[in-house]
Each structure stands twice: as C-alpha cells, then as structure tokens.
Amino acid sequence: MSEKCSGNCSSCGESCGERKAESLLAELHARSSVKKVFAVVSGKGGVGKSTVTSMLATAMHRSGKRTAILDADITGPSIPKAFGVSVCEADDEGIYPARSKGGIQIMSINLMLENDSDPVLWRGPIIAGAVKQFWTDVIWDDVEYMFVDMPPGTGDVPLTVFQSLPIDGVIIVTSPQELVGMIVSKAVKMANAMNIPILGLVENYSYFRCPDCGQKHELFGASHLDKIAAEYALPILARLPIDPSVADKCDKGLAEELELGELSAAIEAISR
C-alpha cells in the first residue's frame, strides 16, 4: 500500500495488494425495504417461468410474508395480467408498485405502457437499465421476500440483475425434455460464475393426470430432472403437472387463486 493511499480505491489507478473490489450493487431507493431477493430463471423460454414465479410469490404470501414480484422480462412481461393489475403510480419521490388483490407488490414495464400490447423496442443496455431502475426508483414497502421474474437466457438482463441486485438465491425452472438439460446447465454455470446460490430446480409440465382414470401421463417424455439434479448436487423443489386451470386463472388475473401443490413445501425449504 502506498503511503499516500487515501483508502478510496474508486479514485485510484494503482494496482496494489490492498485494492478493494468495486461493488456493482445498485442502491435501493431510500424509502424502500427489501430483505430477501430470489431470482427465478430458465435457460430458454416456454417452460412456464412466469407462471412458476407467480405461484412462488402466491405461496410465500399465503405463508404470511410480505411479498413482491419484480418483472425483469421487459420484452415479454406477463406478471401484471396474471394478477389482474394494470397501472402503477408515481410522484416526485419515486414509483409505487401496483398491488394485487391480496396485497402482493408488483412492478413491470407493462404497468407503465399506455397499452399492454405495445411492444418495447429497446436495445439490450436500455432494457437492462430499466430493470435496474425497478430496484433503485421503485418504493418497495417493507418487502420480506421479492421474486425476480427473469427473461430467458444468459444475456444483458440476467447479468445486470445478478450484478446489481443483492440476489440471495436462484430457482431454476425446467421442463422434462432432454434438450432442456443442456439449457439448465447454462443457467447453473452462470449462477455459479456469479457466486449466487442455487436453491433448487422446479420441473414444470412434468406430467398430465387424466381426470377420468387418475393415471399420470408424461406428455413430454420421461423426465431427466433426477440426472440433472444429481450432476449438480441440487435439490428438486417441485414437479408441477400440466393443468389447464392454471392457464385459465392466469389469463383471468386470478393467479392468487391457483392450487400450489408441491410449491407450498418448496416455499418452506427456500425461506429457512
């Protein structure tokens, strides 16, 4: 260390053994309070990640915790529709998240568009900046557990979220196809590279239970989840069936009325 060292590494160009790594974490709004942040990710689209996010938030809220959802999927937001909310408020102090009928706090780009069907025609860095503002500019009211609904893949937005938000853990959503195993591996390796704990795996569309005979049918083929979980030493949090009522309730803005099945037990595991 130089004798002239001020201790302020951000203003120093020297490379020394005492140099501190610069934190990229964004500062939470002064009036906000968020205790735990979980990111819900998938390596590809179409596996029901937003639905699983909605169910996780609903399960946590039913357990008595103050819960929020930050919708980081800027170009494909679906959380507001699932919970039946359409607008948010803002003033000189900041942006106030919408609240579902049950009280879950929600922030999404669709709450700020004139029409929820308007496309967001932004390049990657601008999209990533908008997600960061959902953390810095939104006034989150005493949130105990926040779920971040991530866009698929490992691009600008996931990288921004992992670097800018204090993520306490990642939940990876997958489906039974063998191809998905490769995609899950990418999500696992990205989380590991960012030193973020992986809380476990949720397999969506795992099976369909016939309403007449009660038998399970694996419509997407045999599951490869056990192999993936063993390879990376990860717990399986839940296997969710194909259930037409889930899509129906989300389409009607009734996500808080969903049957949660194994996700109720998963909430107990990840909130310890």
Side-chain angles (χ1 to χ4, degrees):
M1 180 186 295
S2 169
E3 293 180 358
K4 298 179 180 180
C5 179
S6 65
N8 184 4
C9 294
S10 63
S11 62
C12 175
E14 296 293 328
S15 177
C16 67
E18 300 298 324
R19 188 173 182 84
K20 303 170 186 174
E22 182 179 356
S23 173
L24 298 176
L25 288 177
E27 188 174 349
L28 187 63
H29 191 286
R31 290 179 53 192
S32 292
S33 174
V34 179
K35 293 180 181 177
K36 291 281 187 179
V37 184
F38 296 150
V40 184
V41 308
S42 65
K44 65 182 292 294
V47 299
K49 171 185 49 56
S50 295
T51 300
V52 172
T53 302
S54 301
M55 296 172 76
L56 285 166
T58 296
M60 187 66 79
H61 189 67
R62 286 182 188 174
S63 74
K65 305 298 184 182
R66 294 176 63 88
T67 308
I69 301 176
L70 189 160
D71 188 355
D73 196 349
I74 299 295
T75 59
S78 56
I79 295 298
K81 183 175 180 61
F83 285 88
V85 296
S86 57
V87 295
C88 62
E89 303 294 333
D91 59 22
D92 292 339
E93 294 293 322
I95 305 168
Y96 299 87
R99 291 182 184 261
S100 69
K101 184 177 179 181
I104 296 174
Q105 298 175 53
I106 297 169
M107 190 62 224
S108 171
I109 194 65
N110 256 18
L111 300 175
M112 308 179 78
L113 300 178
E114 185 174 352
N115 299 299
D116 61 9
S117 59
D118 290 344
V120 177
L121 304 177
W122 298 343
R123 294 190 182 276
I126 298 176
I127 293 174
V131 171
K132 191 173 178 179
Q133 284 184 283
F134 286 170
W135 178 259
T136 60
D137 295 0
V138 173
I139 301 173
W140 299 101
D141 182 19
D142 194 22
V143 174
E144 293 178 275
Y145 288 93
M146 172 183 286
F147 293 91
V148 182
D149 183 26
M150 302 277 274
T154 56
D156 285 342
V157 172
L159 185 60
T160 295
V161 170
F162 286 167
Q163 290 182 328
S164 303
L165 274 61
I167 304 297
D168 293 286
V170 166
I171 298 161
I172 299 176
V173 181
T174 181
S175 57
Q177 302 98 313
E178 186 172 4
L179 169 65
V180 176
M182 176 188 69
I183 305 300
V184 169
S185 296
K186 292 181 182 290
V188 169
K189 290 176 181 178
M190 182 177 189
N192 288 339
M194 305 299 293
N195 294 316
I196 298 175
I198 301 172
L199 303 178
L201 305 172
V202 174
E203 184 177 74
N204 201 22
Y205 310 137
S206 186
Y207 59 89
F208 173 73
R209 187 180 295 279
C210 176
D212 296 323
C213 68
Q215 289 188 342
K216 290 183 179 181
H217 300 276
E218 296 175 328
L219 301 185
F220 289 103
S223 172
H224 296 81
L225 191 63
D226 289 321
K227 179 180 178 181
I228 297 170
E231 180 178 356
Y232 294 103
L234 297 173
I236 298 173
L237 299 176
R239 300 177 191 264
L240 304 179
I242 297 171
D243 185 351
S245 71
V246 171
D248 181 61
K249 287 185 177 179
C250 286
D251 285 345
K252 294 176 180 177
L254 302 174
E256 289 171 296
E257 297 181 8
L258 291 171
E259 295 293 329
L260 303 176
E262 294 181 16
L263 281 181
S264 295
I267 283 297
E268 295 180 10
I270 67 177
S271 61
R272 289 172 185 167

